[in-house]
């Protein structure tokens, strides 16, 4: 006889989306189990730059659009959580930077002033006084330099913080030992798991797929092609990220804005301390988007050229360059555009969840709580067996540690 385990919600995937939702639901006494096949955050979350932004970078084209409106409150929301005063307790998460800078090239000065003076941006961006420039820029650039209300988090510590409290509810699975069983019309019946000759059946009222780039393979198993419902379609937007390891101490958190106002800064830089005592600059933005057309060697060369052009005073002689390709996996949009907010896509008892940005995890968490409420799914009374024999998956290694 199989052991039957009843859960309110089963979450598959422990990146920022799955972990945030776990914290929201477990905090409301839902009986939740989260399963991951790899260390938590493997994929996009651990590879993210950790920027919690208010959408200003999306407003570079000249006006605030729906995308920037949806995330405008997020830096304040996360700051409250970091102090233990939000919907999820993030005390213990390491704050890498309390501010983020935007550095436009000189030729943009007049257009930038008009843009930043617009009513929509008032209070969200401020011009930095030369005496208050961060050490990296002091007496180096003519300015202007702007400060955004954005913050930067150390993602490994964020993932630890989100998983520590609910460790017993987070398990690593091997899909060779288990299968999601479905009905003919695509409803999930149960997850069947085999361990040491014993059969376990896990049933939940809702099955959440928060598997990032892994969602596609998972869904194709549930709905063999061409049966994947339209609502569950996925898109990828690829990036080629660069890591520069060096011993320059002054941290750098900046969007370098190109000579033309476009939706994407030419380079977006974050700084991450490495366990070997060195510092890693992590480079995203347009460099990463256009880099998908370049080989690793070409991307490292392009990154070096860009940094030398931007910061000619730097000695990068001893720097070590690494790059890697990664997909942003999201809900499919018309024309493959960036999704404007977090979203949930339902097919019977399956909910496919996309934060679309690390920043928007709270938004996704709230949508999910509201969704369950609208379906009248409330915490059950069953407090069932935990699967003690399954291990905790651990936390993924960030790319600046993995790069050797
Ligand atoms: C390079 C890069 C930089 C970024 N920087 C930022 C930023 O600075 N700020 C920002 O707001 N957003 C940023 N983003 C976007 C952000 O990282 C993502 O939107 C977010 O992390 C997605 O989280 P997720 O939980 O949906 O997916 P993921 O983080 O990819 O997590 C998916 C999880 O599911 C697990 N999984 C996969 N398949 C299976 C399976 N079959 N069974 C069980 N488990 C499975 C994986 O192991 C993983 O743990 C960045 C994205 C990239 C790629």
């Amino acid at each position: 006889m199989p052991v039957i385990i009843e859960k309110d919600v089963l979450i598959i995937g422990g990146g920022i989306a799955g972990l945030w939702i776990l914290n929201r639901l477990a905090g409301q006494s839902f009986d939740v189990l989260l399963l991951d096949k790899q260390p938590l955050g493997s994929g996009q979350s651990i590879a993210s730059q950790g920027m919690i932004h208010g959408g200003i970078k999306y407003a570079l084209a000249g006006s605030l659009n729906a995308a920037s409106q949806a995330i405008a409150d997020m830096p304040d929301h996360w700051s409250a959580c970091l102090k233990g005063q939000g919907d999820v307790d993030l005390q213990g998460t390491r704050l890498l930077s309390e501010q983020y800078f935007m550095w436009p090239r000189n030729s943009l000065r007049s257009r930038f002033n008009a843009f930043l003076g617009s009513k929509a941006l008032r209070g969200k961006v401020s011009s930095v006084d030369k005496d208050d420039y961060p050490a990296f820029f002091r007496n180096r650039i003519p300015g202007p330099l702007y400060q955004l209300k954005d913050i930067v988090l150390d993602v490994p510590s964020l993932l630890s913080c989100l998983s520590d409290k609910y460790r017993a509810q987070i398990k690593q699975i091997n899909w060779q030992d288990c299968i999601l069983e479905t009905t003919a019309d695509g409803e999930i019946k149960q997850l069947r798991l085999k361990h040491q000759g014993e059969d376990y059946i896990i049933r939940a009222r809702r099955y959440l797929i928060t598997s990032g780039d892994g969602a596609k393979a998972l869904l194709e198993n549930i709905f063999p092609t061409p049966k994947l419902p339209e609502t569950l379609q996925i898109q990828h937007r690829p990036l080629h990220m660069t890591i520069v390891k060096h011993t320059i101490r002054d941290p750098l958190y900046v969007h370098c804005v190109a000579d033309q106002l476009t939706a994407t800064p030419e380079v977006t830089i974050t700084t991450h301390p490495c366990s070997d005592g060195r510092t890693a600059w992590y480079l995203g933005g347009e460099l990463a988007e256009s880099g998908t057309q370049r080989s690793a060697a070409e991307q490292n060369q392009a990154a070096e050229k860009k940094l030398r052009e931007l910061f000619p005073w730097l000695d990068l002689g001893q720097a070590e360059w690494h790059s890697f390709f990664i997909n942003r996996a999201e809900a499919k949009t018309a024309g493959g555009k960036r999704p404007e907010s977090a979203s949930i896509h339902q097919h019977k008892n399956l909910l496919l969840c996309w934060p679309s940005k690390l920043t928007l995890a709270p938004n996704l968490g709230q949508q999910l709580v509201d969704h369950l409420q609208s379906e009248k799914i409330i915490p059950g009374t069953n407090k069932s067996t935990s699967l003690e024999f399954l291990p905790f998956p651990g936390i993924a290694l960030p790319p600046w540690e993995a790069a050797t």
Side-chain angles (χ1 to χ4, degrees), residues 264-396:
T264 311
E266 57 179 334
V267 197
T268 284
I269 307 176
T270 48
T271 302
H272 307 267
C274 303
S275 56
D276 65 5
R278 287 187 292 171
T279 300
W281 284 347
Y282 192 25
L283 314 182
E286 204 280 326
L287 177 73
E289 289 184 1
S290 60
T292 56
Q293 304 303 317
R294 291 187 279 265
S295 68
E298 288 166 345
Q299 178 69 351
N300 290 342
Q301 270 172 14
E304 183 168 357
K305 185 164 172 249
K306 180 60 71 186
L307 290 194
R308 287 191 190 282
E309 178 192 330
L310 291 168
F311 315 126
W313 64 88
L314 272 188
D315 177 6
L316 290 167
Q318 302 301 313
E320 210 180 272
W321 304 81
H322 304 270
S323 79
F324 68 100
F325 292 87
I326 185 162
N327 280 329
R328 286 166 292 184
E330 310 158 331
K332 190 169 184 177
T333 63
K337 287 193 184 137
R338 180 184 59 233
E340 305 217 320
S341 61
S343 57
I344 297 172
H345 306 261
Q346 181 163 25
H347 182 81
K348 301 186 187 290
N349 57 356
L350 178 159
L351 300 173
L352 175 62
C353 304
W354 299 109
S356 90
K357 290 165 196 67
L358 188 82
T359 303
L360 285 170
N363 192 259
L364 177 67
Q366 189 57 48
Q367 282 188 35
L368 200 268
V369 166
D370 294 345
H371 184 99
L372 294 184
Q373 212 167 36
S374 74
E375 289 202 291
K376 306 220 171 351
I377 295 184
I378 53 166
T381 48
N382 54 294
K383 292 285 166 268
S384 56
T385 337
S386 56
L387 297 153
E388 269 126 28
F389 54 86
L390 291 177
F392 177 73
I395 307 286

Side-chain angles (χ1 to χ4, degrees), residues 13 16-17 36 38 41-42 44-45 48-49 51 175 211 355 358-359:
I16 190 67
D36 203 304
Q38 298 167 110
S42 294
Q44 300 166 88
S45 297
S48 91
Q49 292 191 278
M51 288 186 294
W175 282 104
S211 314
L358 188 82
T359 303

Side-chain angles (χ1 to χ4, degrees), residues 14-15 36-43 159 172 393-397:
D36 203 304
K37 62 174 184 174
Q38 298 167 110
L40 300 172
S42 294
L159 298 173
Q172 181 157 12
I395 307 286
L397 210 55

Side-chain angles (χ1 to χ4, degrees), residues 80-185:
C81 293
L82 289 168
K83 290 184 206 137
Q85 296 163 0
D87 48 8
V88 166
D89 187 355
L90 294 183
Q91 292 177 92
T93 298
R94 188 170 170 199
L95 182 63
L96 289 177
S97 181
E98 283 177 18
Q99 65 248 310
Y100 203 85
F101 295 96
M102 186 178 276
W103 177 37
R105 303 288 190 97
N106 283 340
S107 56
L108 284 175
R109 190 181 305 211
S110 56
R111 281 181 69 190
F112 235 80
N113 281 344
F115 162 59
L116 294 171
S118 69
K119 200 169 148 214
L121 290 184
R122 220 158 281 158
K124 297 189 174 104
V125 184
S126 51
S127 177
V128 185
D129 203 79
K130 282 214 157 54
D131 295 337
D132 297 328
Y133 276 17
F136 182 84
F137 284 121
R138 210 166 297 145
N139 304 321
R140 302 281 196 198
I141 56 163
L145 187 68
Y146 297 94
Q147 185 172 331
L148 315 181
K149 280 182 80 184
D150 305 357
I151 56 175
V152 185
L153 301 180
D154 173 60
V155 174
S157 73
L158 168 65
L159 298 173
S160 293
C161 187
L162 287 169
S163 54
D164 276 354
K165 195 164 166 193
Y166 300 109
R167 222 178 147 87
Q169 284 148 265
I170 303 174
K171 301 289 179 188
Q172 181 157 12
I173 46 156
N174 181 345
W175 282 104
Q176 282 172 348
D177 302 331
C178 47
I179 182 167
L180 267 175
E181 296 179 340
T182 52
T183 60
D185 58 353

